[in-house]
């Protein structure tokens, strides 16, 4: 009698029929879509219409095989998910596609589905009744790439009313496989900054979110190599992102040991094999002049900061450490020029940027290294090595998160208040 | 011998192996994706990785069944497509999903794939070397709906430099199943306006692109009824968008006789059964005050225009004809309060708005009715009836296009120069 009761209770924990009202629709769903939904314990229930499919899997970090119901609808309830934003996709009979029930988000070179598991500290990246800044789309022509490019630009709440004021500028980069939409769509840069500025925790600033993918005319582009695009006829079949594979569709979630390791490319070369210097050239030739001509931006190195996540952190260190006459603030969120193993040697690490600690500390007002606690010890080791070498730096660790957007939202929330003091 | 040659030529026209270099990647593909691609005669070649699927179909207006190759990749070449932007989707073993090879676009209540067939007049909606306006994201809290809402706002090129100037405002709405991203993503509102303003064809103006879906607290929302969302367990299975079905996934393309007819809902009720008056209330209580407080907007009816496409046109006429003290310019692009059959009677049609032609003509500076030539005769009949009733109006017809975005880009390009004269 007692054991029957326990069995019933256990099986009810997994049967959505009875606990459906506890499962709240994912906030990133398209309007009126009830699924995916999230239970109070952060398990998520996915449902997909695929009546004639043989196999359907939700790929969110790992794969969760779905079960087909008599109505032709496939379902699965996951194990509890980590808080924050997760990209995800479906595999339907071998095709990797987005779930039509959610809005889509550009990551790993394609439009993934997204699910948000509310974090206990979600308030910092949520809209509040405070004065609002504005994110604008800024098109410009790049002489370096020979193409029109798009940047998103955050201007602080008083930018419009305080018509003579000039503002410092933070250049803020996304990660591999993402684009200029990442920081304002997945990152909520505007809500984070509006809230910080309203609380007088951060100075009003302009934030420029560009696309770190820059290719010069005639250079080959392989920005998204390995993500499983449909190949030209006769070429080898595309990688399809099986469990744990680095292919397109689902970036590594949960702990992501490969993420930092991914940066272990030759100096100056990004993971896709393209040249990080093209972006640096584009930034100095096209982007910064466009911004300083178009917006009321303060000039000079002490009014310029640069930061980025993952590959964007690597780009930041490559660009800024070689151009400290132009930047006084640097941030690497889950990515920098160090922390990927090997011996720290101030004379050679990061191109010898730390060879003269006194000179470095005088020039660089803030050197920030952020990481998710589930990402491993690389960034902490790098920070400790810098500290041992007498290089001033800030180490920030996001508790319980991996190589994902909640880590980077928290990094920005900690980094921005340190700028332009 | 001769017939053999003809057969070879015919089959070669369909075999991508030999003419692959003529097939140019769709400009809306994700970076580096070669497929879908478009041939010079506007046939499109689609390729999808789905090695274990039984049946894969491209749904772009009608369905095109794909064929599986030995490499597990499915392919199909369509018949020549109409110029302009088309939403499309895939059906993979009964699941309606976006093609992972393209960027996605919100229409019919979900994130569709998109393909652009270049139009002979594409220059008017393409970026050129002219001064650039800016599209900004504007968040605000709505007292009427009790929620935060997002608007996109276009400001003209001289808005930032001409810091004391005030500008007239066009409120511009999307169609059913779309949202506030439609006009700037699918519509290229910024490129169209930058080009018109640079050519001195249109006056500099602010354009506000809001989301026409507004629901008051406690009202039921069925904005996207019929689009095939996954139902709650035990409910009837979702509609799945079979050929010609009105379900989610693929909006009617080609000629869309149902599109105008879709508006034949009871007065004041939208296609999804929700109340058009909620948007009107929200607009007057929340949106217009936010815009006029936040931007340098000229006040008064002669500095305000309203236009929309399809259901947004219906909303425009419902809102503006009942509030002519607030608007002097109206545009309906493939949608208005008339043209859906029945007898035109100035005393009753559109709530009797045209009962006094002299008074109407004095108040309304421009009444614009635009349509695609493939959409049928409803709008032309309505325009003729208005003209016969001595109501001044402008009729614009987009040649060769249907109920799709090229029609609406062309409508805007013709409508905007008529405003605020």
């Amino acid at each position: 009698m007692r054991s029957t009761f326990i069995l019933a209770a256990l099986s009810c924990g997994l049967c959505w029929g009875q606990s459906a009202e506890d499962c709240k629709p994912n906030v990133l769903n398209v309007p009126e879509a009830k699924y995916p939904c999230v239970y109070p314990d952060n398990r998520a229930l996915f449902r997909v219409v695929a009546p004639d499919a043989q196999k359907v899997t939700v790929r969110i970090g790992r794969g969760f095989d779905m079960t087909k119901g008599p109505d032709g609808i496939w379902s699965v309830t996951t194990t509890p998910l980590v808080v924050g934003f997760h990209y995800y996709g479906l595999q339907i009979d071998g095709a990797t596609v987005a779930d039509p029930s959610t809005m889509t988000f550009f990551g790993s070179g394609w439009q993934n589905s997204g699910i948000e598991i509310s974090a206990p500290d979600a308030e910092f990246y949520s809209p509040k009744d405070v004065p609002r800044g504005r994110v604008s789309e800024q098109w410009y022509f790049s002489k370096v790439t020979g193409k029109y490019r798009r940047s998103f630009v955050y201007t602080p709440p008083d930018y419009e009313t305080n018509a003579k004021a000039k503002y410092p500028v933070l250049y803020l980069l996304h990660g591999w496989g993402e684009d200029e939409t990442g920081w304002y769509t997945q990152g909520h840069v505007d809500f984070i900054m509006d809230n910080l500025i309203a609380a007088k925790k951060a100075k009003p600033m302009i934030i420029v979110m560009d696309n770190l993918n820059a290719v010069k005319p005639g250079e080959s582009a392989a920005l998204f190599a390995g993500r499983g695009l449909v190949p030209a006829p006769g070429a080898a079949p595309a990688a399809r992102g099986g469990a744990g594979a680095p292919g397109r569709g689902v970036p590594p979630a949960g702990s992501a040991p490969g993420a930092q390791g991914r940066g272990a490319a030759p100096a100056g070369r990004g993971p896709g094999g393209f040249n990080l210097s093209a972006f640096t050239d584009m930034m100095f030739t096209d982007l910064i002049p466009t911004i300083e001509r178009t917006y009321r931006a303060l000039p000079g190195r002490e009014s310029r900061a640069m930061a980025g996540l993952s590959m964007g952190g690597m780009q930041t260190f490559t660009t800024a450490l070689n151009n400290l006459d132009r930047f006084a603030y640097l941030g690497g969120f889950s990515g920098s020029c160090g922390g990927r193993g090997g011996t720290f040697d101030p004379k050679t690490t990061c191109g010898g940027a730390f060879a003269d600690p006194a000179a470095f500390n005088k020039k660089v007002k803030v050197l920030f290294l952020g990481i998710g606690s589930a990402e491993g010890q690389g960034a902490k080791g790098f920070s400790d090595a810098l500290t041992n070498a007498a290089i001033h730096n800030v180490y920030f660790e996001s508790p319980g998160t991996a190589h994902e957007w909640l880590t980077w939202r928290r990094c920005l929330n900690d980094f921005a208040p340190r700028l332009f003091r």
Side-chain angles (χ1 to χ4, degrees), chain A:
Chain A
M1 172 95 179
R2 182 183 169 87
S3 65
T4 307
F5 174 75
I6 289 171
L7 186 67
L10 279 174
S11 61
C12 252
L14 295 167
C15 71
W16 34 256
Q18 290 181 33
S19 50
E21 67 270 26
D22 294 331
C23 202
K24 303 297 177 204
N26 168 31
V27 296
L28 304 178
N29 286 355
V30 298
E32 295 167 47
K34 293 186 172 59
Y35 305 97
C37 62
V38 183
Y39 287 102
D41 64 357
N42 295 344
R43 290 174 305 140
L45 165 58
F46 294 84
R47 303 192 83 212
V48 176
V49 178
D52 308 321
Q54 306 302 302
K55 185 171 188 199
V56 183
T57 303
V58 174
R59 293 200 47 75
I60 178 164
R62 51 165 281 209
F64 293 92
D65 288 342
M66 306 186 87
T67 307
K68 187 175 175 178
D71 52 4
I73 297 176
W74 297 72
S75 299
V76 71
T77 301
T78 65
T79 50
L81 300 174
V82 172
V83 291
F85 173 93
H86 308 289
Y87 295 111
Y88 80 93
L90 303 175
Q91 278 193 297
I92 301 177
D93 287 350
T96 300
V97 294
D99 182 346
S101 296
T102 80
M103 300 301 275
T104 55
F105 303 88
F106 198 72
S108 302
W110 73 299
Q111 296 276 0
N112 301 255
S113 286
I115 188 169
E116 181 85 36
I117 309 296
S118 186
D121 55 347
E123 214 188 325
F124 84 85
Y125 58 80
S126 302
K128 289 188 213 169
D129 186 20
V130 297
R132 307 225 70 85
R134 199 182 291 166
V135 174
S136 305
E137 185 183 64
Q138 181 69 49
W139 285 88
Y140 63 102
F141 185 80
S142 164
K143 282 177 275 194
V144 169
T145 68
K147 291 185 177 165
Y148 282 96
R149 292 175 61 88
R150 182 173 68 166
S151 210
F152 284 97
V153 181
Y154 169 83
T155 47
D158 63 350
Y159 186 88
E160 296 302 322
T161 51
N162 201 354
K164 301 238 166 175
K166 294 195 169 193
Y167 299 85
V169 184
L170 164 62
Y171 292 85
L172 186 62
L173 290 175
H174 58 82
W176 176 84
E178 297 175 333
D179 67 12
E180 69 275 22
T181 63
W183 266 108
Y184 96 91
T185 306
Q186 289 96 293
H188 298 317
V189 66
D190 47 349
F191 298 147
I192 293 172
M193 293 307 301
D194 290 348
N195 293 339
L196 285 173
I197 292 168
K200 299 198 187 302
K201 289 183 183 166
K203 289 207 161 187
M205 66 185 79
I206 295 167
I207 300 185
V208 177
M209 296 157 278
D210 206 74
N211 188 323
L212 73 73
N213 302 304
V215 179
K216 293 183 184 182
E219 278 188 357
S220 69
L223 309 179
F224 302 115
R227 75 186 172 85
L229 286 173
V230 179
R240 284 207 320 278
R248 175 243 308 115
V250 188
S255 82
Q260 282 287 90
R262 218 201 278 138
R269 307 289 293 183
F274 68 104
N275 201 327
L276 293 179
S277 76
F279 182 84
T280 303
D281 288 356
M282 189 289 300
M283 191 170 173
F284 292 143
T285 305
D286 301 312
L287 177 60
I288 293 180
T290 296
I291 295 301
E292 299 194 350
R293 189 173 58 236
T294 312
Y295 294 82
R296 298 194 309 277
L298 285 167
R301 66 182 297 282
E302 301 216 351
S303 298
R304 275 194 219 107
M306 187 170 179
L309 71 91
S310 193
M311 195 173 97
M314 193 164 62
Q315 177 76 58
T316 294
F317 277 66
T318 301
T319 300
L321 288 181
N322 290 310
N323 293 280
L324 286 179
D325 55 325
R326 305 192 194 221
F327 299 94
Y329 301 86
L330 277 85
F333 307 164
S334 307
S336 71
C337 61
R340 300 191 299 272
T343 311
F344 179 89
D345 178 351
K347 298 273 181 286
T348 57
T349 296
C350 302
F354 308 115
D356 182 344
F360 186 91
N361 291 338
K362 198 174 168 197
K363 270 194 173 170
V364 176
K365 304 285 181 190
V366 172
L367 176 66
F368 180 98
L369 298 168
I371 196 84
S373 69
E375 291 190 76
Q377 292 299 308
K380 181 76 173 80
F382 184 45
S383 169
D384 289 344
L386 287 170
T387 302
N388 289 340
I391 298 287
H392 298 168
N393 70 93
V394 175
Y395 174 73
F396 170 80
E397 195 173 285
S398 163
T401 61
H403 201 70
E404 292 195 296
W405 274 97
L406 183 54
T407 297
W408 306 320
R409 292 176 191 158
R410 287 174 173 166
C411 283
L412 177 65
N413 195 49
D414 194 89
F415 178 63
R418 303 174 186 276
L419 298 179
F420 312 123
R421 298 292 176 183

